Amino acid sequence: MKPFGYLRARSAEEAVREHAAHPGALFLGGGTNLVDLMKLGVAAPDRLIDISRLPLDHVADTEDGGLRIGATVRNSALAAHHSVRTRYPALSQALLSGASGQLRNTATTGGNLLQRTRCAYFQDTSKPCNKRQPGTGCPALDSAQRDLAVLGHSTHCVATHPSDMAVALSALDATVHLHGPDGGRTVPATGFHRLPGDTPDRDTEIRPGELITELVLPPRPEGAASLYRKARDRASFAFALASVAAVLSVRGGRIEHAALAFGGLAHRPWRARTAEDLLRGAPATEETFERAVDAELAAARPLRENAFKVGLARNLAVDALAELAADS
Amino acid sequence: MSQAPSPLGTPVVRREGRDKVTGTARYAAEHTPPGCLYGRPVPATIARGRVDAVHADEVLALPGVHAVLTHHNAPRLKEPDDPILAVLQNGRVPHRGWPVALVVADTPEGARAGAEALRITYETDGHDVLLTEDHPGLYTPEIVNGGYPAVRERGDTDRAFVTAPVQVDATYSVGALHNHPMEPHATTARWDDDGHLTVHDSSQGSTTVRDSLATAFGLRPQQITAVSEHVGGGFGSKGTPRPQTVLAAMAARHTGRPVKIALPRRQLAAVVGHRAPTIQHIRLGAELDGTLTAIDHEIITHTSTIKEFVEQAAVPTRIMYGSTTSRTAHQVVALDVPSPSWMRAPGEAPGMYALESAMDELASALGMDPVELRIRNDPGIEPDSGRAFSSRGLAACLEKGAARFGWYDRDPRPASREEGPLLLGTGVAAATYPVYIAASSASAHAAADGSYRIRVNATDIGTGARTVLAQIAADVLATPVDNVRIDIGSSELPDAPLAGGSSGTASWGWSVHKACTLLLRQLRERTGPVPADGLTVTADTQQETAGQSPYARHAFGAHFAEVAVHSRTGEVRLRRMLGVFAAGRILNSRTARSQFIGGMTMGIGMALTESSTMDPVFGDYTENDLASYHVPACADVQEIEAHWIDEEDPHLNPMGSKGIGEIGIVGAAAAVGNAVRHATGIRLRSLPLTPDTLLPYLL
Amino acid sequence: MDPSRGRDDGAQQPGATGDRSTLTLQINGTERTLTLDHRTTVLDALREHLGLTGAKKGCDHGQCGACTVIVDGRRANSCLLLAVAHDGAAITTVEGLADGERLHPLQEAFLDRDALQCGYCTPGQICSAVGMLGEAADGFPSHATARKAPASAPAPLDADEIRERMSGNLCRCGAYPRIVEAIEDVAL
């Protein structure tokens, strides 16, 4: 880690202004991933702009019954928030299934969204990696690693996005609010993270110098319930082998609203639009769930050691939908 | 002197516990002498070849960097007793991760930045890092770890196997595993003006560290003080000094300042040892009543190109079960991999996974209860040597464990218990570990005030050595435990062997017992009060521990496990586990229980979560941190119990104890694997049992 | 390293652009002012600058929990906290838990239950347990909390809850069952 300057920003505007003046700078939130990456030599900012004390730690209802979540709200506070637990349980559960109690106390909402892949090659600066150093190659592609993508990967990158929270946000149709040198803009969570294509160095659609200020959740669809399910190697404190966030409402035996997103399968949370199209209006039966999920996962292209993820994700999703249907 | 009740066997509270719960116990990296510098090793980034150039000047120009040690300028060593310590002596790179430089700076941040910035170029040779069953480089070594012969054969095993009415023929594999003690390996070293070297080292035995450094640096042992006061676990990986010990001493000599090195976690996988992977071929032949007639256990494993370390995985098979014929053999290949070393129960842990899985397969093939099968084949004498057992509690452990666990409540048919999406099953496996003992010395001092002080260079790596040694001394001296002071953890104390091979308490304890016995005799023989400066007796057990016992001496045990396998995700969670052990006399019931359970817990990791994958392209272990190498977390360990049977064995040592540090892991993985098989009907023959391995069979 | 003999060149108040800053930490109730390299973590500040070696370095990447301390009332991995970003924070380490000679109830319980072996993870376990009990009292749920548990009440702590909430603290000696018992003793 090379020496760096440090500035504690007093406002989002100041943070963005400072960044514009120092393009080698990075924003520091909780730092649970950034400091980790700096120690690994993967991130090497020449200045940190500390945004962790900005007044962005609000969780508040929107006028239409949605929820605004400030970028610096700590993961544990968000998971414990009454509105999140009662109206968006998938988000609370996703947060609680990730990391550890200590990390959740430190990690911020914005930082969680921006955390980077745990692909072993990305984290090791002695090896090639197109994400870390474009053009050097992707040794993961032919490796015996299991924790790689089965959907949406390219010959340039087969990494997966590690966040649980982002998967729930995708299924919950959250909006990411950004503040940048050119003012504010919003990006839907489903479009915030990218597929690797031939530019895997870019994880998200965020532009240089933009700061996440808040996330906004739309009102919960009427009658909809949600949950998050995750499978992992260890009973706790492990990244997902595969995970799913599901939102479902059923009326008179038929599915009204359905949203499904997978974690651990792709370079971004994988919103299952194909499955959702088949779910909406169909009878809420096991057969429907299986057919819909299978249709989504038909696009999967497993690598050497990770074909199990397809069946695993399928079972997680079908069971999650069945559990929600049974509740409604 | 009043006759106090013997403290042996009682749950005396850990002596250093208060220091540990208050944070005042100091470990090797927590000594910072004035002027101390910080060292950071630079690992090789090729798997085989030579260092071509080190661009040290660029790094020396960085603020705070004091030195860059390479093979060009590092102090020359004599030939060390372990080739892994011959660091920075030449440009050869025997494996990826081998230290090729050391950056020394005035802060840890400066050392890390310097190490990152150091540009090194290499001449790269092709490398070979993958262990395969038919590797052309495989050879049969003369001996395996522990000094055992690589091959033993009794009778015509091939013939007995092919003619056996019931056969099991299976190959099991255990991948590489890493010890990962919570305290990364660390050393603080300083040289005094008179040439005396002092190291605070995270080691399992500082007498060994002192002697090893004396060899490497060409010093007399008296010129070195090695201190290992508190040690944050080792599990074999701190058994002998690791490279950071030598690097710290070199850097301190080179800079003339004290130097501290705490290895980064991510460097451990390549430089402090690992459990070598094993491919194990087992053939069992049995009569219809379950009597074994053939046991064949063949090991294929790897070592590095700089030293021969052969995981002795077939050795426990030589003593476990009676059979008219038996063959046990090891083959090894030297690859361009990091050097393997000891990891908790080397040999027994992987070997008993295979043997005890095969016994379960045999029980299934016979339609026989696996507990009964094991008791049926419990031998009266040690099969390999023909020696009588000093004691053998296997059957008693199996019987007691089965009763406590409720073993016989099971429906033996596989996949017969469901609970929603969960498949439930139970499994059993046996455990064994040999009795090792090494010569030790100790002194016992009686003070004029009636108190006692014991000095012995034992090491407490978490076992509670101070506590149990105080109990042994108090027992001999017939004095309250609190009246005995124990000094351990420094090579300035009487020489003692390392904490390894589950031999610490027996070895150190015997010398303490002897010194106390002699002291007591002197006290009883003398008339008048103890002199003002007290009485001191020093004793060693060279004589008592020389030569082989006429008895076969082993601890035994039995594990019972219940698992829940999620039929939809392949996730395996251990519901409960119960171990019963026959390990001689248990000297401290509190700390012994903790050690048994600790071993069992590491066995759960071996069964379910831990794995190190050799990257064939780069030649390193991919899972090199604690996020990817999954040691069990708290949530992985549900109900777990350890019990023991009272074993009176007069052929061990004056305390009547066998070792307990390692047997807990032995067989534990097999019990879990057998339970998974019972739950699902799926027999997997490699570890760990993660969702990717099970799910394809469940879908 | 005695902070008094550290380099003072370039040392400035947080907010400046040099590579060092002067900052104040409230450690176990005592204000400590230090001039530190921006790269210095709270963990290294405690261990290398303040002589408080209770918090341990096990992985230096937030993967083991040995460095757990309590920061402004909540447990955190001090190895991932840059000291400069925590100017003014109140930090409790294992050294600050006992009341003079009287151990904190969790320290007492860890001793009683033999909830430790090598002791290296122990300070982190104890600080984590202190923080965890506070979280539960404040109604923080966990992954083990029933999906339909009431969202406003304090979380009752059974063994499953404790195991899940303590899973950020690895123990290689395998003291987990005893650690859970020790925490149960205090939680009940």
Side-chain angles (χ1 to χ4, degrees), chain B residues 376-411:
Chain B
R376 172 72 47 92
N377 289 288
D378 198 25
I381 55 167
E382 188 182 62
D384 186 61
S385 68
R387 286 183 298 174
F389 287 102
S390 66
S391 57
R392 182 175 167 111
L394 176 61
C397 290
L398 285 162
E399 282 158 4
K400 181 170 176 175
R404 277 190 173 267
F405 186 77
W407 172 256
Y408 294 107
D409 299 342
R410 86 202 286 249
D411 178 340

Short mmCIF file of all heavy atoms in Angstrom, two decimals, chain B residues 376-411:
data_model
loop_
_atom_site.label_atom_id
_atom_site.label_comp_id
_atom_site.label_asym_id
_atom_site.label_seq_id
_atom_site.Cartn_x
_atom_site.Cartn_y
_atom_site.Cartn_z
N ARG B 376 -15.55 -57.20 16.12
CA ARG B 376 -15.22 -58.54 15.62
C ARG B 376 -13.75 -58.66 15.24
O ARG B 376 -13.13 -59.69 15.41
CB ARG B 376 -16.10 -58.83 14.39
CG ARG B 376 -15.79 -60.09 13.59
CD ARG B 376 -16.20 -61.36 14.31
NE ARG B 376 -17.54 -61.29 14.87
CZ ARG B 376 -18.65 -61.67 14.24
NH1 ARG B 376 -18.57 -62.18 13.04
NH2 ARG B 376 -19.83 -61.56 14.82
N ASN B 377 -13.21 -57.56 14.73
CA ASN B 377 -11.83 -57.59 14.24
C ASN B 377 -10.83 -56.92 15.18
O ASN B 377 -9.70 -56.61 14.77
CB ASN B 377 -11.77 -56.97 12.84
CG ASN B 377 -12.42 -57.85 11.80
OD1 ASN B 377 -11.89 -58.89 11.44
ND2 ASN B 377 -13.62 -57.46 11.37
N ASP B 378 -11.24 -56.70 16.41
CA ASP B 378 -10.37 -56.08 17.40
C ASP B 378 -9.28 -57.10 17.77
O ASP B 378 -9.58 -58.15 18.31
CB ASP B 378 -11.21 -55.73 18.63
CG ASP B 378 -10.54 -54.71 19.52
OD1 ASP B 378 -9.70 -53.94 19.01
OD2 ASP B 378 -10.84 -54.69 20.72
N PRO B 379 -8.02 -56.82 17.47
CA PRO B 379 -7.00 -57.84 17.66
C PRO B 379 -6.50 -57.92 19.11
O PRO B 379 -6.52 -56.92 19.83
CB PRO B 379 -5.88 -57.38 16.74
CG PRO B 379 -6.00 -55.90 16.73
CD PRO B 379 -7.47 -55.59 16.90
N GLY B 380 -6.01 -59.09 19.49
CA GLY B 380 -5.47 -59.26 20.84
C GLY B 380 -4.05 -58.75 20.95
O GLY B 380 -3.61 -58.33 22.02
N ILE B 381 -3.32 -58.82 19.84
CA ILE B 381 -1.95 -58.29 19.82
C ILE B 381 -1.84 -57.35 18.63
O ILE B 381 -2.64 -57.39 17.72
CB ILE B 381 -0.90 -59.41 19.69
CG1 ILE B 381 -1.20 -60.26 18.45
CG2 ILE B 381 -0.83 -60.26 20.95
CD1 ILE B 381 -0.07 -61.17 18.05
N GLU B 382 -0.82 -56.49 18.66
CA GLU B 382 -0.64 -55.56 17.54
C GLU B 382 -0.32 -56.36 16.29
O GLU B 382 0.71 -57.06 16.23
CB GLU B 382 0.49 -54.58 17.84
CG GLU B 382 0.59 -53.48 16.80
CD GLU B 382 1.74 -52.52 17.07
OE1 GLU B 382 2.90 -52.96 17.06
OE2 GLU B 382 1.46 -51.33 17.27
N PRO B 383 -1.16 -56.29 15.28
CA PRO B 383 -1.00 -57.19 14.13
C PRO B 383 0.36 -57.07 13.46
O PRO B 383 0.96 -58.07 13.09
CB PRO B 383 -2.13 -56.74 13.18
CG PRO B 383 -3.14 -56.10 14.06
CD PRO B 383 -2.37 -55.45 15.16
N ASP B 384 0.86 -55.87 13.31
CA ASP B 384 2.10 -55.68 12.55
C ASP B 384 3.33 -56.19 13.29
O ASP B 384 4.22 -56.78 12.70
CB ASP B 384 2.27 -54.20 12.24
CG ASP B 384 3.46 -53.96 11.32
OD1 ASP B 384 3.45 -54.49 10.19
OD2 ASP B 384 4.40 -53.26 11.73
N SER B 385 3.37 -55.97 14.61
CA SER B 385 4.59 -56.27 15.36
C SER B 385 4.48 -57.54 16.18
O SER B 385 5.49 -58.10 16.61
CB SER B 385 4.91 -55.11 16.30
OG SER B 385 3.92 -55.05 17.32
N GLY B 386 3.28 -57.95 16.43
CA GLY B 386 3.09 -59.11 17.30
C GLY B 386 3.26 -58.77 18.78
O GLY B 386 3.17 -59.65 19.64
N ARG B 387 3.48 -57.51 19.06
CA ARG B 387 3.63 -57.12 20.47
C ARG B 387 2.27 -57.04 21.16
O ARG B 387 1.25 -56.74 20.52
CB ARG B 387 4.29 -55.74 20.57
CG ARG B 387 5.77 -55.74 20.27
CD ARG B 387 6.37 -54.36 20.45
NE ARG B 387 5.77 -53.38 19.54
CZ ARG B 387 6.02 -52.08 19.58
NH1 ARG B 387 6.84 -51.59 20.49
NH2 ARG B 387 5.45 -51.26 18.72
N ALA B 388 2.29 -57.25 22.45
CA ALA B 388 1.05 -57.10 23.22
C ALA B 388 0.74 -55.61 23.35
O ALA B 388 1.65 -54.78 23.41
CB ALA B 388 1.22 -57.72 24.60
N PHE B 389 -0.53 -55.27 23.39
CA PHE B 389 -0.91 -53.89 23.66
C PHE B 389 -0.72 -53.58 25.14
O PHE B 389 -1.06 -54.42 25.99
CB PHE B 389 -2.37 -53.65 23.28
CG PHE B 389 -2.61 -53.61 21.80
CD1 PHE B 389 -3.16 -54.70 21.13
CD2 PHE B 389 -2.28 -52.48 21.06
CE1 PHE B 389 -3.37 -54.67 19.76
CE2 PHE B 389 -2.49 -52.43 19.69
CZ PHE B 389 -3.03 -53.53 19.03
N SER B 390 -0.19 -52.41 25.43
CA SER B 390 -0.11 -52.02 26.84
C SER B 390 -1.52 -51.82 27.38
O SER B 390 -1.80 -52.10 28.55
CB SER B 390 0.71 -50.74 26.98
OG SER B 390 0.03 -49.66 26.37
N SER B 391 -2.40 -51.39 26.52
CA SER B 391 -3.84 -51.31 26.81
C SER B 391 -4.50 -51.01 25.47
O SER B 391 -3.88 -50.38 24.61
CB SER B 391 -4.16 -50.21 27.84
OG SER B 391 -3.68 -48.96 27.39
N ARG B 392 -5.69 -51.47 25.28
CA ARG B 392 -6.38 -51.22 24.01
C ARG B 392 -7.85 -51.06 24.31
O ARG B 392 -8.56 -52.03 24.60
CB ARG B 392 -6.15 -52.36 23.03
CG ARG B 392 -6.82 -52.10 21.67
CD ARG B 392 -6.50 -53.18 20.64
NE ARG B 392 -7.39 -53.05 19.50
CZ ARG B 392 -7.02 -52.66 18.27
NH1 ARG B 392 -5.77 -52.38 18.01
NH2 ARG B 392 -7.90 -52.56 17.30
N GLY B 393 -8.32 -49.85 24.25
CA GLY B 393 -9.69 -49.56 24.68
C GLY B 393 -10.66 -49.38 23.54
O GLY B 393 -11.73 -48.78 23.73
N LEU B 394 -10.33 -49.86 22.36
CA LEU B 394 -11.20 -49.59 21.21
C LEU B 394 -12.62 -50.13 21.42
O LEU B 394 -13.60 -49.41 21.25
CB LEU B 394 -10.60 -50.17 19.93
CG LEU B 394 -11.50 -50.02 18.69
CD1 LEU B 394 -11.78 -48.56 18.38
CD2 LEU B 394 -10.89 -50.71 17.47
N ALA B 395 -12.70 -51.39 21.80
CA ALA B 395 -14.03 -52.00 21.94
C ALA B 395 -14.83 -51.27 23.01
O ALA B 395 -16.03 -51.00 22.83
CB ALA B 395 -13.89 -53.48 22.27
N ALA B 396 -14.15 -50.92 24.09
CA ALA B 396 -14.85 -50.22 25.18
C ALA B 396 -15.36 -48.86 24.70
O ALA B 396 -16.47 -48.44 25.05
CB ALA B 396 -13.93 -50.06 26.38
N CYS B 397 -14.55 -48.17 23.90
CA CYS B 397 -14.98 -46.86 23.38
C CYS B 397 -16.19 -47.02 22.46
O CYS B 397 -17.14 -46.23 22.52
CB CYS B 397 -13.85 -46.19 22.61
SG CYS B 397 -12.49 -45.63 23.64
N LEU B 398 -16.13 -48.03 21.60
CA LEU B 398 -17.24 -48.26 20.68
C LEU B 398 -18.52 -48.57 21.46
O LEU B 398 -19.59 -48.04 21.17
CB LEU B 398 -16.90 -49.42 19.74
CG LEU B 398 -15.89 -49.10 18.62
CD1 LEU B 398 -15.30 -50.39 18.04
CD2 LEU B 398 -16.54 -48.26 17.52
N GLU B 399 -18.39 -49.42 22.45
CA GLU B 399 -19.58 -49.83 23.21
C GLU B 399 -20.15 -48.67 24.02
O GLU B 399 -21.36 -48.42 24.01
CB GLU B 399 -19.24 -51.02 24.12
CG GLU B 399 -19.17 -52.33 23.34
CD GLU B 399 -18.35 -53.41 24.02
OE1 GLU B 399 -17.88 -53.20 25.17
OE2 GLU B 399 -18.17 -54.49 23.39
N LYS B 400 -19.27 -47.98 24.69
CA LYS B 400 -19.75 -46.86 25.51
C LYS B 400 -20.33 -45.76 24.63
O LYS B 400 -21.37 -45.17 24.94
CB LYS B 400 -18.60 -46.29 26.35
CG LYS B 400 -19.01 -45.15 27.26
CD LYS B 400 -17.91 -44.78 28.23
CE LYS B 400 -18.32 -43.58 29.05
NZ LYS B 400 -17.34 -43.25 30.10
N GLY B 401 -19.65 -45.51 23.51
CA GLY B 401 -20.13 -44.46 22.60
C GLY B 401 -21.48 -44.82 22.00
O GLY B 401 -22.38 -43.99 21.91
N ALA B 402 -21.60 -46.09 21.59
CA ALA B 402 -22.86 -46.52 20.98
C ALA B 402 -24.01 -46.35 21.97
O ALA B 402 -25.11 -45.90 21.61
CB ALA B 402 -22.75 -47.97 20.53
N ALA B 403 -23.76 -46.67 23.23
CA ALA B 403 -24.82 -46.56 24.24
C ALA B 403 -25.18 -45.09 24.49
O ALA B 403 -26.35 -44.70 24.50
CB ALA B 403 -24.35 -47.22 25.54
N ARG B 404 -24.16 -44.26 24.65
CA ARG B 404 -24.42 -42.85 24.94
C ARG B 404 -25.08 -42.13 23.78
O ARG B 404 -25.90 -41.24 23.95
CB ARG B 404 -23.11 -42.12 25.25
CG ARG B 404 -22.65 -42.28 26.68
CD ARG B 404 -21.49 -41.32 26.93
NE ARG B 404 -21.12 -41.31 28.33
CZ ARG B 404 -21.61 -40.44 29.22
NH1 ARG B 404 -22.48 -39.52 28.84
NH2 ARG B 404 -21.23 -40.49 30.47
N PHE B 405 -24.68 -42.50 22.59
CA PHE B 405 -25.16 -41.83 21.38
C PHE B 405 -26.56 -42.29 20.99
O PHE B 405 -27.30 -41.58 20.32
CB PHE B 405 -24.18 -42.13 20.23
CG PHE B 405 -24.46 -41.40 18.95
CD1 PHE B 405 -24.12 -40.06 18.79
CD2 PHE B 405 -25.07 -42.04 17.87
CE1 PHE B 405 -24.36 -39.39 17.60
CE2 PHE B 405 -25.31 -41.38 16.68
CZ PHE B 405 -24.95 -40.05 16.54
N GLY B 406 -26.93 -43.48 21.46
CA GLY B 406 -28.18 -44.06 21.01
C GLY B 406 -28.03 -44.66 19.62
O GLY B 406 -28.92 -44.60 18.78
N TRP B 407 -26.88 -45.26 19.39
CA TRP B 407 -26.52 -45.76 18.07
C TRP B 407 -27.52 -46.79 17.55
O TRP B 407 -27.89 -46.79 16.39
CB TRP B 407 -25.12 -46.37 18.12
CG TRP B 407 -24.70 -47.09 16.88
CD1 TRP B 407 -24.65 -48.44 16.68
CD2 TRP B 407 -24.30 -46.50 15.64
NE1 TRP B 407 -24.22 -48.73 15.41
CE2 TRP B 407 -24.01 -47.55 14.73
CE3 TRP B 407 -24.17 -45.18 15.20
CZ2 TRP B 407 -23.58 -47.32 13.43
CZ3 TRP B 407 -23.73 -44.95 13.90
CH2 TRP B 407 -23.46 -46.02 13.03
N TYR B 408 -27.94 -47.67 18.45
CA TYR B 408 -28.74 -48.80 17.97
C TYR B 408 -30.19 -48.43 17.68
O TYR B 408 -30.96 -49.26 17.25
CB TYR B 408 -28.62 -49.97 18.95
CG TYR B 408 -27.22 -50.53 18.97
CD1 TYR B 408 -26.37 -50.32 20.06
CD2 TYR B 408 -26.72 -51.23 17.87
CE1 TYR B 408 -25.08 -50.81 20.06
CE2 TYR B 408 -25.42 -51.71 17.86
CZ TYR B 408 -24.60 -51.50 18.96
OH TYR B 408 -23.32 -51.98 18.94
N ASP B 409 -30.52 -47.14 17.89
CA ASP B 409 -31.86 -46.70 17.50
C ASP B 409 -31.97 -46.57 15.98
O ASP B 409 -33.06 -46.40 15.45
CB ASP B 409 -32.18 -45.31 18.10
CG ASP B 409 -32.15 -45.36 19.62
OD1 ASP B 409 -32.23 -46.48 20.17
OD2 ASP B 409 -32.02 -44.28 20.24
N ARG B 410 -30.87 -46.66 15.29
CA ARG B 410 -30.89 -46.35 13.85
C ARG B 410 -31.48 -47.50 13.04
O ARG B 410 -31.31 -48.67 13.36
CB ARG B 410 -29.49 -46.02 13.37
CG ARG B 410 -28.66 -47.25 12.96
CD ARG B 410 -27.17 -47.01 12.98
NE ARG B 410 -26.65 -46.22 11.89
CZ ARG B 410 -25.86 -46.70 10.91
NH1 ARG B 410 -25.56 -47.99 10.84
NH2 ARG B 410 -25.38 -45.90 9.99
N ASP B 411 -32.12 -47.10 11.96
CA ASP B 411 -32.47 -48.06 10.93
C ASP B 411 -31.25 -48.11 10.01
O ASP B 411 -30.88 -47.10 9.42
CB ASP B 411 -33.70 -47.54 10.15
CG ASP B 411 -34.11 -48.47 9.02
OD1 ASP B 411 -33.27 -49.30 8.59
OD2 ASP B 411 -35.26 -48.36 8.57
#
